[in-house]
Amino acid sequence: MSVTPTPLPAPAGTAAPATGAETLRLYRAHLGKGRATLAELFGSHLEVSSRGAWLTTADGERFLNCGGYGVFLTGARHPTVMDAVLRQLHTHPTATRILLEPTVARAAQALTAVTPEGLDRVHFALSGAEAVETGLKLARANGRRRTVAMRGGYHGKTLGALSATAKDVYQAPFRPLLPDVTHVPFGDAAALERELAAHPGEVCVLIEPVQGEGGVILPPPGYLRRAEELVRRHDGFLVLDEVQTGLGRLGRWWGADLEGVTPDVLLAGKALGGGIVPVSAAVATREAFRPFDKDPYVHTATFSGQPLLMAAVQGTLRAIEEEDLITRARELGERLLPQIRAAVSRTLGALAVDVRGQGLLIGVELAEPGLAGELLIELLNHRVIGNHSMIGSSVVRFTPPATLTDEETGFFLAALEQACRALITGGVRMPDDGERV
């Protein structure tokens, strides 16, 4: 028997209502008509505040946020992260980048303490795509000027990252992209070996432990370890993109930990700023980082390692450790996955192709992209936020916080089942990925 989801009571001090119509007009005027149209398809809800797993709109409606593209592992406005950020905000938020500054040093120390052994050099950035660019540049500076990425992989939309993101609709307007970039099937170690063997000593392999935007695609067991072995055998360079999978999302600190892998460069982001500020990082071995060690100006950014962001990094890592959110993500994922699978099977039948996941990265694959869009809308109608997948457009993705309570978990499962039932009776047509909005 399904339970009717009832939103939990709103906390005191909810933000004053804003004007949805005016915001939509400003979107059209300044942010693009496509973004405004997409907002309308999702009901023109105006988000104004957040706390924990909950988002509040201008009209007082509350939504359980199981989306956010992996940003909210610690939930919104986690008190430990907020305290660290606010203290820094009121003392020294932005540094000169000329003098010594302690928060960046401590943040680097804290981050390298939880990465695989041997990764002890850090370059901080803002976005995941910037971290990818850093990894690609380190590979090139170390003589690996060919890149092998995976079909279905997603690494961002800056020029270098986009070259590794194999989706025509994103690449086509910006070609020619970087030369010497090849894509092989994810999970196919033989195809990867052929590319490495054809160009020994020249190849950078860019790979995700689990493809998030690809639609939560899990590789065969042992694949990541085998990929590392092949890279070492053929004198390649391994960049592990953990922007979405890292920091506990898969139920371990890193996807690398699932198979005991140590890349040349590990990329972190999304959850690293605690859902409060944007921050990412490329964490490298000393050998891989050597070109940056030689010249401190060869790869820089004005806001790299700024104190406010570094306070958030320290607060986030502290919150994850103090509350053991790694274990919580693993155990919660183990509970949620079979229950989601059962609810989807009960309600959607053949319309659902698969339900899969690792930790708190869970995907529901529908028979076609339009159904995925309709399910996202029905979930909103039942006060739950999920995500579409930019590469695997038939997949609805859930990346809930590891802080979900039992009551919130029950709310999510009940809402999912009701949204699936509503989908059977008819929904709103969403454009397929790649169609003009």
Side-chain angles (χ1 to χ4, degrees), residues 19-55:
T19 305
E22 174 64 8
T23 302
L24 200 58
R25 184 190 70 78
L26 292 174
Y27 264 58
R28 282 203 179 89
H30 305 296
L31 299 175
K33 291 187 290 184
R35 290 189 63 182
T37 301
L38 194 61
E40 287 182 300
L41 282 169
F42 282 104
S44 298
H45 298 286
L46 190 66
E47 57 182 87
V48 294
S49 67
S50 57
R51 182 178 180 182
W54 294 91
L55 181 76

Side-chain angles (χ1 to χ4, degrees), residues 333-403:
E334 289 171 351
R335 284 174 50 201
L336 276 174
L337 186 60
Q339 293 185 78
I340 293 172
R341 188 175 285 131
V344 168
S345 176
R346 261 194 316 271
T347 54
L348 297 183
L351 292 181
V353 174
D354 193 18
V355 177
R356 53 186 176 261
Q358 175 81 45
L360 291 179
L361 178 56
I362 298 171
V364 176
E365 183 176 355
L366 284 302
E368 54 98 1
L371 287 172
E374 290 171 17
L375 180 56
L376 282 170
I377 291 173
E378 292 298 347
L379 283 164
L380 275 172
N381 291 339
H382 291 83
R383 306 294 178 259
V384 168
I385 296 171
N387 283 138
H388 69 287
S389 298
M390 287 194 227
I391 304 294
S393 53
S394 295
V395 178
V396 171
R397 208 156 20 116
F398 298 111
T399 53
T403 57

